[in-house]
């Protein structure tokens, strides 16, 4: 089992749609969790951290289920500018491990 | 605040040649990472430093890759000799705190795109 697994993409959605990304991780001792966004041919940038109680930032909601070792990201009211690859990131004791990423394409 | 600086941005070399990449992290950041990102995949950690000490180099192909972080600031990553499968983007990132910090953001440089022909 890979350390961090994400939904294979790409996801093609129309503007205004709601889209959800899923991620599972294998190390039960993982300490912290993040979603990063990577635009085409650019570097990854932090989108949001994921807290045990769940957290929301505008149109973005992140959830963590430690028992199931599962993380999710929900994007409501998709915008064209949301088109990017979304990377699930898990921190163990010391290192940050990235998933393969899920590409989102939002069309007019 | 200046971001993570990397150079060169692009490099094309022939297989069996050597290449070096340079990274200047954000000032004061304790942790520095080198990642390799092959097209269509997520970044894969090559090596992680805390100040000038190595924290994790378990995925670094040590027969051909080497890295150092002198004085706990700048870092260089070297490949010698390069293989075709080394074609990738090499990303440097830094974090403010050491490895024990829980919610610490990693800031990435723009990367060096290496093509081995």
């Amino acid at each position: 089992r890979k350390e961090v697994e994400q939904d294979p993409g790409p996801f093609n959605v129309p503007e205004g749609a709601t889209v959800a990304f899923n991620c599972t991780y294998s190390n039960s001792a993982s300490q912290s969790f993040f979603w990063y966004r990577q635009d085409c041919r650019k570097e990854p940038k932090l989108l949001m951290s994921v807290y045990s109680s769940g957290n929301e930032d505008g149109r973005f909601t992140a959830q963590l289920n430690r028992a199931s070792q599962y993380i999710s990201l929900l994007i409501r009211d998709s915008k064209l500018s949301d088109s990017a690859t979304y990377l699930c990131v898990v921190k163990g004791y010391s290192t940050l491990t990235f998933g393969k990423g899920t590409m989102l394409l939002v069309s007019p | 605040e200046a971001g993570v600086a990397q150079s060169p941005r692009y490099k094309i070399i022939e297989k069996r040649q050597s290449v070096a990449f340079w990274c200047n992290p954000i000032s004061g950041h304790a942790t520095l990472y080198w990642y390799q990102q092959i097209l269509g995949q997520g970044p894969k950690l090559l090596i992680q430093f805390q100040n000038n000490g190595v924290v994790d180099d378990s995925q670094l192909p040590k027969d051909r890759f080497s890295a150092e972080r002198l004085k706990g600031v700048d870092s260089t990553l070297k490949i010698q000799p390069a293989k075709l499968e080394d074609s990738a983007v090499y990303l440097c990132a830094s974090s403010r705190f050491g490895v024990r910090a829980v919610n610490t953001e990693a800031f990435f440089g723009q990367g060096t795109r290496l093509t081995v022909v």
Side-chain angles (χ1 to χ4, degrees):
Chain A
R1 182 180 177 185
K2 291 183 180 177
E3 287 191 66
V4 180
E5 290 200 68
Q6 296 187 237
D7 290 331
F11 284 18
N12 288 279
V13 303
E15 271 187 293
T18 295
V19 60
F21 301 117
N22 301 309
C23 172
T24 57
Y25 59 96
S26 60
N27 184 356
S28 59
S30 297
Q31 297 181 342
S32 45
F33 311 89
F34 310 89
W35 285 100
Y36 275 68
R37 170 190 168 132
Q38 187 171 27
D39 292 301
C40 187
R41 300 179 75 88
K42 299 285 189 180
E43 72 275 22
K45 292 183 179 180
L46 179 67
L47 177 66
M48 59 196 303
S49 300
V50 187
Y51 302 117
S52 296
S53 55
N55 48 299
E56 186 174 309
D57 183 3
R59 298 181 293 108
F60 299 83
T61 301
Q63 297 280 352
L64 169 64
N65 184 324
R66 285 188 182 270
S68 302
Q69 295 178 207
Y70 167 87
I71 307 158
S72 66
L73 175 68
L74 185 76
I75 304 176
R76 292 181 299 279
D77 189 22
S78 298
K79 311 291 184 190
L80 294 176
S81 57
D82 294 334
S83 296
T85 295
Y86 291 83
L87 297 158
C88 177
V89 183
V90 174
K91 182 180 184 296
Y93 176 75
S94 60
T95 59
L96 291 173
T97 302
F98 284 74
K100 188 175 179 179
T102 304
M103 183 182 291
L104 172 65
L105 300 169
V106 182
S107 54
Chain B
E1 181 180 64
V4 176
Q6 288 189 247
S7 67
R9 288 294 309 281
Y10 305 93
K11 191 74 177 179
I12 300 174
I13 62 171
E14 295 182 349
K15 59 184 179 184
R16 291 187 290 273
Q17 285 188 323
S18 302
V19 65
F21 312 128
W22 174 80
C23 173
N24 186 12
I26 294 173
S27 178
H29 278 200
T31 301
L32 185 147
Y33 314 81
W34 282 103
Y35 283 88
Q36 179 193 59
Q37 187 171 26
I38 292 172
L39 187 65
Q41 298 184 19
K44 170 190 161 186
L45 182 70
L46 293 175
I47 190 166
Q48 179 178 344
F49 295 93
Q50 180 170 324
N51 298 316
N52 60 351
V54 175
V55 172
D56 186 339
D57 64 356
S58 58
Q59 298 189 88
L60 187 74
K62 297 180 185 65
D63 58 334
R64 299 185 301 107
F65 286 65
S66 64
E68 60 182 5
R69 189 183 184 194
L70 297 175
K71 300 180 182 179
V73 182
D74 292 7
S75 178
T76 56
L77 175 70
K78 297 179 182 178
I79 307 175
Q80 180 180 9
K83 293 185 176 180
L84 296 176
E85 58 260 37
D86 296 334
S87 294
V89 176
Y90 290 84
L91 293 161
C92 179
S94 68
S95 296
R96 180 183 299 275
F97 302 113
V99 298
R100 299 296 301 273
V102 178
N103 279 314
T104 180
E105 179 178 356
F107 295 85
F108 283 82
Q110 292 182 300
T112 296
R113 187 173 300 273
L114 174 67
T115 302
V116 182
V117 298

